[in-house]
Amino acid sequence: MQEEHPMSLSAELRAFYDRRQEQIPADIREIMNRAGRELAESGQADRALTVGAQAPGFRLPSAIGPTVALDTLLVEGPVVLTFYRGAWCPYCNIALRSLQQHHDAIAARGARLAAVSPQIPDESLSLTEKHQLAFHVLSDVGSDTAKQYGLAFDLPDDLAAVYDKLGFDLQRVNGGHARTLPLPATYVIDGSGTIRWAFVDTDYTKRAEPADILTALDELR
């Protein structure tokens, strides 16, 4: 019997994207695609922090406990820091579930995992419970931390209207900061606070592959 290999995250995201496109009306799809092209052409990804930069510190509320500081996490070893848009984003949910599946492997390498979004803590708590996430899920309301990493951007008017129409209610879940979201990004930060590996993409349907994260952690050892 041939051994089954789990689907890569990129393949899972692509399969979901292909199914999703069939469900989205053409006019909405065009608005989404145009906004995506404009964001890619804006140079936003090039302005984000990357390898060699010092990771900005933060202290953010956790979904399940007290505030969490980057400095505190780094005391225990490297940190895998991932930014996602929110629980309303199906691509984020797929990516976070994949990180949970690889959490033991990340921890075995002495690293801590933290996920950051602009959602209010109540939304982060619901997400944590739904997917049984064992890592820190942090609330960056107002996206101040995302701005320090060069990841925050504002939705264009027509795409914001589409999200409202789809019932995402970003005004509520983002604590009054409905228009500002982070680019999907994942960083591996070493004990000195230096970014040693980075994934940043303006395309929210693409995320860091867990296998690549594990390789980056192995290279720190």
Side-chain angles (χ1 to χ4, degrees), residues 56-134:
F58 58 77
R59 183 177 295 276
L60 296 172
S62 168
I64 57 173
T67 58
V68 172
L70 178 61
D71 288 348
T72 303
L73 296 177
L74 289 172
V75 168
E76 301 183 32
V79 169
V80 177
L81 179 64
T82 191
F83 289 85
Y84 69 102
R85 305 194 311 159
W88 53 271
C89 169
Y91 299 93
C92 296
N93 285 291
I94 291 170
L96 291 173
R97 285 199 302 269
S98 181
L99 285 172
Q100 176 58 39
Q101 290 165 4
H102 291 82
H103 180 250
D104 287 350
I106 291 171
R109 287 159 171 81
R112 304 292 297 277
L113 175 59
V116 176
S117 84
Q119 295 183 130
I120 58 176
D122 279 353
E123 291 295 312
S124 297
L125 177 59
S126 297
L127 177 75
T128 299
E129 292 175 338
K130 178 180 178 182
H131 299 305
Q132 298 182 312
L133 303 180

Side-chain angles (χ1 to χ4, degrees), residues 9-21 23-24 32 83-99 119 127 130-131 133 159 162-163 166-168 170 181 184 203-207:
L9 175 57
S10 58
E12 187 178 357
L13 290 168
R14 184 67 201 188
F16 178 82
Y17 173 84
D18 290 341
R19 294 193 304 272
R20 185 81 161 184
Q21 291 305 292
Q23 303 165 357
I24 299 174
M32 290 178 164
F83 289 85
Y84 69 102
R85 305 194 311 159
W88 53 271
C89 169
Y91 299 93
C92 296
N93 285 291
I94 291 170
L96 291 173
R97 285 199 302 269
S98 181
L99 285 172
Q119 295 183 130
L127 177 75
K130 178 180 178 182
H131 299 305
L133 303 180
L159 184 56
V162 163
Y163 284 175
L166 293 174
F168 293 155
L170 298 188
L181 295 176
D203 185 348
Y204 61 82
T205 71
K206 297 178 180 177
R207 305 299 166 106

Side-chain angles (χ1 to χ4, degrees), residues 17 21 28-38:
Y17 173 84
Q21 291 305 292
I28 291 179
R29 198 162 61 237
E30 172 54 30
I31 291 171
M32 290 178 164
N33 291 339
R34 184 171 64 249
R37 289 193 302 270
E38 290 173 353

Side-chain angles (χ1 to χ4, degrees), residues 120-201:
I120 58 176
D122 279 353
E123 291 295 312
S124 297
L125 177 59
S126 297
L127 177 75
T128 299
E129 292 175 338
K130 178 180 178 182
H131 299 305
Q132 298 182 312
L133 303 180
F135 49 85
H136 294 293
V137 180
L138 308 178
S139 293
D140 180 27
V141 176
S143 295
D144 288 339
T145 298
K147 289 172 186 174
Q148 292 183 63
Y149 282 78
L151 301 171
F153 72 97
D154 288 337
L155 293 169
D157 292 344
D158 53 358
L159 184 56
V162 163
Y163 284 175
D164 285 343
K165 185 177 181 180
L166 293 174
F168 293 155
D169 195 7
L170 298 188
Q171 182 71 20
R172 181 185 66 80
V173 301
N174 287 358
H177 301 271
R179 298 292 291 277
T180 306
L181 295 176
L183 298 182
T186 299
Y187 294 102
V188 172
I189 304 167
D190 70 14
S192 70
T194 301
I195 295 171
R196 298 288 295 276
W197 183 86
F199 171 95
V200 180
D201 203 311

